[in-house]
Each structure stands twice: as C-alpha cells, then as structure tokens.
C-alpha cells in the first residue's frame, strides 16, 4: 500500500525568533542564538515539525515582515527568546505586535533568561499567549505536540498562561538539561557570524558547549536559575569544531559558556584532543578562579594544557579586591590573594587574561571600592598585560543581591513593558554616584583593534 505523505513544503513549522540586543557602542562581536539552536535541535530530532530561525541581530524589521509573509501560515507557534536588558524585550514586543496584525497568527510563546526568573509577569502581558519557564528543549517539543493535537497544555513543563482570567500552570520544568548534542548549524548562515576578534583570531566563531554553572555568585542569574550543569563531552566537541574549521575556514573559537572549566577533567581532555588534531585554531573561554585552584588539588595541569592547545584569552570575573565583599556580599569563594595568584599563573602561561570587577554593590564602602582598584592596578602590571573591565553592579531579578538592592532603595520595574528599556550599562542604583560611574568607565581597558592583543601574546 502506498501512503500519501504531505509534501515537505506543507509540513508544519515552528518559528523561533531572537530579537535584537543593543550592545555597547563599538562592540565588535556577533553571537549566534544558541538558545534557539538548542531548542531547534530537539524539535528536529523529534521529527514532527520543521524549524526556521529569525535572528534580529542579523536581520532588519522589514526582513521580519517578509519572513512572516513566507512562514506564518505554516507555523504552529512563534517562540521568542528574551533576556533582561539590552532592549531585547522592547524589540521582542515590536516583533510580536507585527505578527499579531496578521489573521491566523498562531500562539506566541516567550522563553529565555528573563522568563526563567519573571515567568508570571511575562505571561501577564497582552501580547504573550504563553510563557515557558526553564530549558526550552524540554518544554517546546511537549507544547508543539499539544498544539498539533495530542496532549494537554496543563502537562507542558514550565508552561504559564492566562485562560479565562485564570493562570494555567504546567508542571515544573527542571533545569536539568541532559547531554548537549551537535547544533543544527544548517538553520543559520554560519558565515555571517565569523568575525575578526582582536583577542582571538581573524576568523572567529562563537560557541556554547555547556549550560549552567556550579558556583554561587550572589549577583548572578545562573545561581537563581539553578540550572544543573550539562555539557558536550570533549571528543564530539572537538569533532564539531574540526568540521566547522573545515567548512568555514575558521582560525578561532570563542566559547560563551557561563564557565567552560566547571569540570577540569573535561577541559584538559578537550585541550589535549584539540592539540592532537593540530587544527591550528586559537580559542578563548570564561573561567572561575576556583577551577584553577581545584585543578591544582587534582594535580591536573589545567593551565599548561590550555596554553598548549592554542588558548589565547581567559575571561574571569574577580568582582572585588576586598576580602569582605568577596566573602560576605559576592560569595566568590576566593580571597584577593588567591585571585592575584591565579591571574599571575595565567600570565605566566602566556595567556591573555581579561578580568572583570564590579563596583557599587549594596553595602560596599568607598574603602572597599579602593581595594578593588588596587587589585586591578596590580593585575594590570602582569605580562601579557591583561584586559580589565569595571562593571557597575546591576540588580538582576531573582538573585539574592536583587533583594538587598530593593532594601537599599532600588526600584524595580513591575511589568514586562517596564523591563523593556532597562539598561544594565547605565547605573540603575540610587546609591551609586556619578564619580563612581566615571571612575569605572575610566578603568575599563579592552582590546578593540583587530590583531592588537594577538601581537602581545607570544605564539
Ligand atoms: C552571548 C550572550 C550575550 C550576547 C547576546 C546574545 C546573542 N545571541 O546575541 C551579548 C554579549 C550581546 C549579551 C549581552 C548582555 N547580556 Co548576555 N549572555 C550571553 C551568554 C554568555 C550566552 C547566551 C547563550 O547563548 N546561552 C546558551 C543557551 C543555550 O542558553 P539560554 O540562552 O539560557 O537558553 C535556554 C533557556 O533560557 C531557554 N530559552 C531561551 N530562549 C527561549 C525561547 C523559548 C521560546 C523557550 C521556550 C525557551 C527559551 O531554553 C534555552 C535552552 O535550554 C549568557 C550566559 C550563558 N552562558 O548562557 C549571557 C546572559 C544571557 N546575558 C545576560 C545579561 C544580563 C546580559 C546583559 C544585560 C548584561 C551584560 N552586561 O552583559 C547584556 C545586554 C546588553 C545591554 N546593553 O544591556 C544574563 C541574562 C540574565 C537575565 N536575567 O536575563 C546571562 C544569563 C549572563 C549571566 N549569567 O548573568 N549577552
Ligand atoms: S562563576 Fe560566573 S556564571 Fe558562575 S555563578 Fe559566578 S558569575 Fe555566574
């Protein structure tokens, strides 16, 4: 018996949209929407629908209109990713308004870091049909099954929606994300994301190889979200990178994992596998100082392996030069002395360190801020001369320090619309003076000219 299959062009599809993020002026980089690639990977593996991705960082509002003309009639739903800040929520609402002008617009579903902490507030907005809290690769496939006719909305993990004036809630969507698989690169024009990154290499692509973090920095969203750490194992990761290097002639990879080195063993295996493949690819990633301390205890030559595998730059949040702030406010689980020691070790391995500090914590004294600048100055004397960056403390919803900030007089937006223009690059806290802001800006030293840092780092 022959069965009539729907022609591929008539298959249902899911639209996934990444609204534009406004960065600081003269920021050089472009990022792939890994959130959407992660969700798309699972939807495609299930095989019920096609997936198309719209990246607002690469495409204009006019192109969004044309994209809707092309795809909306086949769409089961439109998934939109948002994080707090960067105007992304404002862009998201503009995009959804445009979609909703069309007859037959399918349900619009919001997810992403902002939704993970302010789900109910998001779901309450008129333009949001549903919010999905937690990892989208666990919730989206369930939602799509429901929208295609099997299953009940009440069973979709992390679902929040208002129906008849009542809040409908699905079961908890645990932040455990399981093993990560290869991304469906074919959904994006990868070439568009290759950049000359001054601190890495002329043809650098960004990459996220793990989700979550094990540390407990009290200002950080990762802590709130409690996402269990999961990753790609070293060998498939190196294999994927080898294929990307071959396909796009890459000379660099910049990892945007919250902390690439949570498992020093995986990191060393990665470095060794990368070096063994002789790919001649430079790379960069974020590290917590405790990863270096733990690897020393485990007698793993973490920094040696990192340097030998072509790593050019390690980004590390030190946050403060005051032991009291590190211990009582940030809970960084490290002392000022240990932070300096790790930075010196990184420099001794010929790796460019990029160290970030935060000033303006609630309850921080001027003397403690001075200690931060003293440590920054000491670290700046290292060779190769590190990049240093001073951020202003920004209260992120859901974090322990957000509650402290409220006690110290910070006024938080109360609606999704209210968060639409929240800007973390400007001081938002009433106790932070103009002088503190100006001093932070003056101390930020970044390498912005392509090639400038590479020239400083020994080959
Ligand atoms: C790359 C990146 C950026 C890029 C932009 C991203 C892009 N694609 O263009 C840039 C550098 C521009 C950026 C900027 C900022 N960022 Co940023 N960024 C990241 C980073 C490092 C990686 C994002 C990523 O790809 N993650 C991997 C994916 C797989 O995880 P995910 O995004 O969480 O997605 C999962 C879930 O959230 C959910 N999900 C996501 N989208 C959707 C959509 C739907 C429909 C569903 C159902 C589910 C869902 O499912 C996904 C898969 O599990 C993260 C940290 C991290 N490693 O996650 C921070 C992070 C997202 N950024 C953050 C912040 C705060 C900022 C800034 C506001 C502040 C700053 N100073 O950096 C700025 C904004 C700019 C401004 N002017 O104010 C916070 C967000 C916190 C929050 N409450 O929203 C994070 C989590 C860092 C942190 N630990 O604090 N960022
Ligand atoms: S190490 Fe980085 S990602 Fe992890 S909790 Fe601390 S600030 Fe957040």
């Amino acid at each position: 018996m022959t069965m009539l299959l729907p022609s591929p062009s008539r298959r249902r599809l899911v639209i996934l949209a990444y609204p534009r993020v406004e960065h600081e002026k003269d920021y050089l980089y472009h990022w792939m929407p890994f959130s959407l690639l992660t969700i798309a990977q699972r939807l495609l593996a299930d095989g019920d629908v096609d997936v198309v991705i719209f990246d607002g960082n690469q495409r204009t509002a006019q192109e969004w209109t044309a994209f809707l003309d092309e795809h909306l009639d086949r769409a089961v739903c439109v998934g939109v990713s948002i994080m707090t800040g960067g105007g992304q929520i404002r862009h998201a609402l503009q995009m959804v308004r445009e979609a909703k002008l069309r007859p037959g617009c399918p349900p619009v579903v919001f997810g992403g870091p902002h939704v993970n902490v302010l789900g109910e507030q998001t779901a309450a907005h008129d333009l949001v049909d549903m919010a999905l809290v937690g990892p989208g690769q666990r919730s989206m496939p369930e939602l799509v099954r429901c929208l295609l006719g099997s299953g009940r909305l009440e069973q979709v993990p992390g679902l929040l929606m208002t129906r008849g004036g009542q809040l409908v809630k699905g079961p908890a969507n645990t932040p455990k994300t399981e093993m990560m698989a290869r991304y469906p690169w074919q959904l994006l024009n990868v070439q568009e994301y290759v950049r000359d990154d001054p601190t890495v290499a002329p043809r650098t692509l960004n990459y996220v190889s793990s989700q979550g973090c094990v540390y407990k920095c009290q200002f950080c969203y990762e802590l709130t979200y409690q996402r269990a750490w999961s990753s790609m194992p070293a060998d498939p990761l190196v294999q994927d990178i080898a294929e990307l290097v071959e396909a796009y002639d890459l000379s660099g990879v910049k990892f945007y994992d919250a902390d690439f080195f949570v498992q020093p063993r995986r990191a060393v295996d990665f470095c060794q596998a990368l070096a063994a493949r002789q790919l001649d690819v430079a790379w960069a990633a974020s590290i917590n100082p405790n990863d270096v301390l733990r690897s020393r205890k485990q007698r793993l030559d973490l920094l040696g392996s990192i340097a030998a595998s072509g790593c050019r730059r390690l980004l590390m949040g030190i946050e403060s030069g005051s032991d009291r702030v590190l211990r009582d406010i940030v809970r960084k689980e490290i002392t000022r002395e240990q932070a300096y020691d790790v930075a010196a070790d990184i420099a001794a391995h010929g790796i460019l360190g990029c160290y970030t500090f935060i000033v303006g914590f609630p309850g921080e004294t001027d003397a403690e801020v001075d200690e931060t600048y003293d440590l920054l100055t000491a670290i700046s004397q290292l060779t190769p001369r590190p990049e240093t960056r001073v951020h202003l403390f920004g209260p992120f919803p859901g974090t322990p320090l957000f509650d402290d900030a409220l006690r110290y007089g910070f006024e938080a937006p109360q609606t999704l619309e209210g968060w639409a223009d929240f800007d973390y690059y400007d001081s938002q806290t009433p106790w932070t003076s103009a002088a503190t802001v100006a001093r932070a800006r003056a101390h930020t030293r970044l390498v912005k000219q392509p090639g400038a840092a590479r020239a400083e780092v020994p080959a």
Side-chain angles (χ1 to χ4, degrees):
M1 189 178 83
T2 48
M3 219 167 58
L4 271 181
L5 293 172
S7 81
S9 63
R10 300 210 40 83
R11 266 166 64 84
R12 303 300 301 276
L13 60 72
V14 169
I15 294 178
L16 294 177
Y18 198 84
R20 189 154 73 85
V21 183
E22 290 156 14
H23 340 120
E24 294 163 291
K25 278 196 244 76
D26 64 15
Y27 220 75
L28 288 172
Y29 315 110
H30 284 239
W31 296 265
M32 288 209 173
F34 285 99
S35 47
L36 301 186
L37 285 174
T38 305
I39 298 167
Q41 190 277 328
R42 200 61 61 85
L43 287 170
L44 293 176
D46 286 356
D48 297 329
V49 284
D50 291 338
V51 179
V52 284
I53 292 183
F54 183 90
D55 183 357
N57 283 323
Q58 298 282 3
R59 302 277 173 272
T60 62
Q62 289 74 23
E63 285 170 302
W64 173 240
T65 309
F67 189 88
L68 291 172
D69 288 341
E70 187 181 349
H71 298 297
L72 202 67
D73 63 331
R74 282 205 292 142
V76 187
C77 63
V78 180
V80 183
S81 184
I82 48 168
M83 68 166 131
T84 321
Q88 197 176 29
I89 295 174
R90 175 165 32 87
H91 291 296
L93 294 174
Q94 283 160 357
M95 289 171 80
V96 173
R97 232 170 246 123
E98 178 67 31
K100 293 229 171 209
L101 287 176
R102 286 143 201 268
C105 177
V108 173
V109 188
F110 274 51
H114 185 82
V115 179
N116 296 342
V117 288
L118 290 176
E120 291 194 15
Q121 206 179 79
T122 306
H125 195 281
D126 284 350
L127 289 172
V128 180
D129 297 307
M130 300 164 188
L132 286 178
V133 176
Q137 64 270 46
R138 295 172 62 93
S139 55
M140 254 330 227
E142 291 301 320
L143 177 67
V144 167
R145 263 189 286 280
C146 278
L147 296 175
L148 288 176
S150 49
R152 290 175 52 235
L153 284 171
E154 287 79 355
Q155 284 165 353
V156 175
L159 178 102
L160 291 168
M161 66 182 284
T162 11
R163 201 169 46 193
Q166 299 291 315
L167 184 71
V168 179
K169 255 185 164 177
N173 185 8
T174 77
K176 203 166 165 42
T177 49
E178 298 152 18
M179 200 77 94
M180 292 172 69
R182 189 175 181 276
Y183 292 109
W185 300 114
Q186 73 277 9
L187 296 182
L188 293 172
N189 179 0
V190 175
Q191 198 67 49
E192 284 179 335
Y193 297 86
V194 178
R195 283 289 175 275
D196 185 353
D197 187 320
T199 56
V200 188
R203 292 188 56 79
T204 298
L205 188 71
N206 57 331
Y207 200 111
V208 172
S209 78
S210 64
Q211 286 195 267
C213 183
V214 292
Y215 296 107
K216 307 232 168 329
C217 311
Q218 301 286 293
F219 60 85
C220 178
Y221 153 87
E222 291 293 343
L223 168 73
T224 307
Y225 186 27
Q226 290 287 332
R227 179 158 51 175
W229 190 77
S230 60
S231 66
M232 283 181 210
D235 283 340
L237 175 58
V238 171
Q239 176 60 29
D240 196 22
I241 287 175
E243 287 170 20
L244 288 166
V245 166
E246 169 80 20
Y248 301 103
D249 190 24
L250 301 183
S251 52
V253 176
K254 195 171 196 175
F255 289 100
Y256 274 90
D257 303 38
D259 176 359
F260 184 83
F261 303 91
V262 161
Q263 229 178 45
R265 182 71 262 173
R266 179 189 87 120
V268 169
D269 288 349
F270 165 81
C271 294
Q272 289 173 349
L274 194 67
R277 297 284 285 256
Q278 298 190 322
L279 289 178
D280 195 21
V281 63
W283 61 284
S286 290
I287 188 164
N288 181 296
N290 283 294
D291 300 332
V292 176
L293 300 179
R294 279 194 293 131
S295 70
R296 287 179 188 165
K297 279 196 192 128
Q298 293 169 20
R299 297 185 186 284
L300 279 173
D301 183 15
L302 181 64
L303 290 179
S305 315
I306 291 173
S309 66
C311 176
R312 283 299 167 91
R313 178 185 192 250
L314 289 176
L315 174 70
M316 181 184 289
I318 291 182
E319 331 305 1
S320 174
S322 149
D323 278 333
R324 187 197 75 88
V325 173
L326 287 169
R327 188 187 59 239
D328 296 347
I329 298 185
V330 182
R331 302 213 188 145
K332 196 73 194 177
E333 301 172 272
I334 189 162
T335 62
R336 171 196 173 98
E337 199 184 322
Q338 286 171 316
Y340 180 81
D341 176 53
V342 168
D345 207 359
I346 288 171
H349 281 85
I351 303 167
L352 178 75
C354 175
Y355 301 100
T356 58
F357 299 86
I358 298 175
V359 294
F361 288 112
E364 185 184 40
T365 66
D366 288 350
E368 287 166 339
V369 171
D370 287 343
E371 286 184 78
T372 294
Y373 285 108
D374 288 349
L375 179 60
L376 180 151
T377 306
I379 285 179
S380 298
Q381 315 300 317
L382 295 167
T383 308
R385 186 180 169 197
E387 293 182 61
T388 47
R389 186 170 191 152
V390 184
H391 290 292
L392 301 169
F393 166 73
F396 279 90
T399 59
L401 288 186
F402 182 81
D403 296 337
D404 285 355
L406 293 178
R407 276 194 292 277
Y408 278 79
F410 167 67
E411 287 177 25
Q414 297 301 318
T415 60
L416 185 65
E417 209 99 48
W419 284 104
D421 286 308
F422 199 80
D423 180 358
Y424 281 101
Y425 284 113
D426 260 347
S427 170
Q428 301 286 348
T429 47
W431 61 88
T432 308
S433 67
T436 303
V437 175
R439 192 176 180 194
R441 300 238 154 95
H443 273 82
T444 290
R445 175 189 178 270
L446 286 181
V447 177
K448 288 183 172 158
Q449 290 306 311
R454 292 196 297 272
E456 277 188 52
V457 180

